[in-house]
Amino acid sequence: MVADRELIPFSRPYRSAKEISNLTAVLASDHAHGDGPFTASASARLRMITGAGHVLLTTSATHALEMASSLLGIGVGDEVILPSFTFPSAGDAVARTGARCVFVDIDPATGTIDPTQVIEAIGPATRAISIMHYGGMPADLPALTSIARDHDLPLIEDNAHGLGVPGLGIAGVLAAQSFHDTKNVHSGEGGALLINDFALVERAEIMREKGTNRSQFLRGQIDKYSWVDWGSSYLPSELNAAVLDSQLSEFDEIQRMRHAVWNRYATELAGWAHDRGVMLMDPPGGIHAAHLFYLLLPEWSMQAEFIDALRAQGVQAAFHYVPLDTSTAGQRYGRTLRPLDRSEDFSHRLVRLPLWAGMPESFVSRVIEAAKSFVPVR
Ligand SMILES: *Cc1c(COP(=O)(O)O)cnc(C)c1O
């Protein structure tokens, strides 16, 4: 059907100008392990972008979330409240400690955790509230921070989608960023832990360096380093940091290009969506990170049909997430207070369109035309 037309991929990793020369510099420097000059530079850029007090690069967002659980001392007998509509990493970070996930529903306007359900879910075993800013649309932070304060519970932010949105990554005690190559800026695989409570910094540095005080040793604060606490190897290599630093140096330009694609979808699909009963992503206050663009079809049955119809026209679209409370591991490691209807409905109606920095205008036009030509089978 579209043999003459190039497939439009769902996402394409960004190529930054200096990534190759940075990599060459690392290899020539004989310092390819972690915590070299590119790690320092990328961390400084992340502090600038987010406003976080302290940033530690990690091997992934999943590992940053793992570190968050460990830093907060979450363990057997504890519970963590999190949205069902999120990426499995948030559940992994709880389950691996032996604690239980308590899944709650979302606000369908943003796909982020519903604060009223958080209040209901708080009990004597609750140790933390874990939230995610879907597409970089902020979860209801005024409500969530006041709930966290009233109940003396730490807030953990999964900010994998929301880099650059003011206030995200610094509302919680700890936050995770992802630099997987499907994210706005990437290092192949990678992440960062943002630490907003200075009291946790020293322990986090130790945890990231195999449980040793090597970071203090490198700063000349101690004469020799040794095993001082539980830890792991969460430190990315300088090669990853070299790519990340190059990408972050172009962050504003990347965001400008992604927002341009996002804005075309929002504008040019609006009339069609209105006529067809389709809801387009509509961020409150226009605040989002241009990480993704989604639409909600009026009926569950249309999701697969719509994705297939786009694919027939050479356009790769995608859905997500399978609500964690309905997943195999979610049932083993979590519980709910009630059926989470909004998460289920959202995930069955949602389709994401291709979006990346530098996506050609002609591709964006083809996606829009393909979407508009969709006729549901009734
Ligand atoms: C990508 C993603 C993660 C996982 O990131 P990794 O760096 O691959 O571990 C976690 N949460 C959300 C919301 C994500 O989009």
Side-chain angles (χ1 to χ4, degrees):
M1 265 167 283
V2 286
D4 57 331
R5 290 212 280 182
E6 201 183 332
L7 176 76
I8 301 178
F10 176 67
S11 114
R12 183 172 277 172
Y14 185 68
R15 295 296 311 270
S16 58
K18 293 214 188 107
E19 57 199 30
I20 300 291
S21 57
N22 282 5
L23 284 170
T24 306
V26 171
L27 293 168
S29 75
D30 294 336
H31 180 147
H33 61 273
D35 259 341
F38 284 115
T39 301
S41 175
S43 305
R45 291 185 198 279
L46 286 169
R47 285 198 302 276
M48 287 286 290
I49 292 170
T50 61
H54 207 90
V55 171
L56 292 178
L57 296 194
T58 60
T59 32
S60 65
T62 306
H63 281 166
L65 291 166
E66 259 184 50
M67 287 179 72
S69 290
S70 302
L71 286 166
L72 297 172
I74 292 164
V76 177
D78 295 340
E79 290 187 337
V80 175
I81 299 168
L82 70 160
S84 177
F85 183 78
T86 192
F87 193 74
S89 301
D92 283 323
V94 176
R96 68 180 297 284
T97 69
R100 177 160 289 267
C101 300
V102 180
F103 299 113
V104 301
D105 222 336
I106 51 166
D107 173 353
T110 56
T112 64
I113 195 165
D114 176 357
T116 58
Q117 291 215 355
V118 172
I119 296 173
E120 279 181 311
I122 293 173
T126 309
R127 289 291 169 272
I129 304 166
S130 174
I131 68 174
M132 194 267 278
H133 306 295
Y134 186 56
M137 292 183 285
D140 185 349
L141 290 174
L144 291 162
T145 49
S146 91
I147 293 165
R149 199 180 323 110
D150 292 350
H151 295 267
D152 199 17
L153 290 169
L155 204 59
I156 304 164
E157 296 175 81
D158 176 348
N159 195 32
H161 296 181
L163 184 66
V165 173
L168 301 193
I170 54 172
V173 173
L174 294 158
Q177 299 293 155
S178 174
F179 306 118
H180 185 269
D181 78 356
T182 52
K183 302 303 187 320
N184 293 24
V185 297
H186 80 91
S187 57
E189 302 269 1
L193 180 68
L194 312 191
I195 307 169
N196 302 308
D197 176 354
F198 189 73
L200 296 174
V201 171
E202 184 179 329
R203 181 97 196 283
E205 285 183 338
I206 288 167
M207 198 175 275
R208 191 178 69 141
E209 275 279 21
K210 301 97 186 163
T212 73
N213 49 5
R214 185 167 176 275
S215 296
Q216 288 161 299
F217 171 72
L218 292 176
R219 286 197 294 266
Q221 292 165 342
I222 48 172
D223 315 333
K224 57 183 176 201
Y225 76 88
S226 63
W227 187 29
V228 293
D229 202 346
W230 174 88
S232 188
S233 188
Y234 292 125
L235 178 65
S237 91
E238 191 66 359
L239 292 165
N240 296 74
V243 174
L244 181 63
D245 190 54
S246 170
Q247 300 246 330
L248 288 170
S249 74
E250 296 177 34
F251 184 60
D252 290 346
E253 176 64 4
I254 291 169
Q255 290 304 93
R256 195 193 57 70
M257 290 190 282
R258 296 187 73 105
H259 277 282
V261 177
W262 195 99
N263 289 339
R264 279 198 63 194
Y265 286 150
T267 310
E268 297 177 41
L269 288 172
W272 164 79
H274 180 264
D275 295 346
R276 295 276 176 181
V278 173
M279 280 167 60
L280 301 182
M281 179 177 174
D282 184 14
I287 300 167
H288 66 98
H291 173 60
L292 51 79
F293 184 93
Y294 71 83
L295 48 81
L296 297 171
L297 294 158
E299 288 170 34
W300 291 15
S301 61
M302 289 182 193
Q303 187 184 51
E305 271 180 49
F306 186 70
I307 291 173
D308 290 348
L310 291 183
R311 191 183 304 123
Q313 303 202 47
V315 173
Q316 250 182 11
F319 69 94
H320 75 177
Y321 300 103
V322 175
L324 296 185
D325 72 291
T326 67
S327 67
T328 307
Q331 298 201 336
R332 188 179 310 147
Y333 299 116
R335 67 180 182 88
T336 58
L337 277 70
R338 63 163 67 78
L340 305 179
D341 301 330
R342 284 177 259 146
S343 297
E344 193 182 16
D345 185 60
F346 204 70
S347 82
H348 278 102
R349 289 168 53 206
L350 183 141
V351 176
R352 292 176 294 154
L353 300 179
L355 198 173
W356 70 88
M359 186 172 167
E361 298 256 339
S362 62
F363 278 19
V364 182
S365 302
R366 273 183 53 201
V367 174
I368 291 167
E369 289 318 309
K372 284 181 171 175
S373 70
F374 172 63
V375 182
V377 185
R378 297 263 183 175

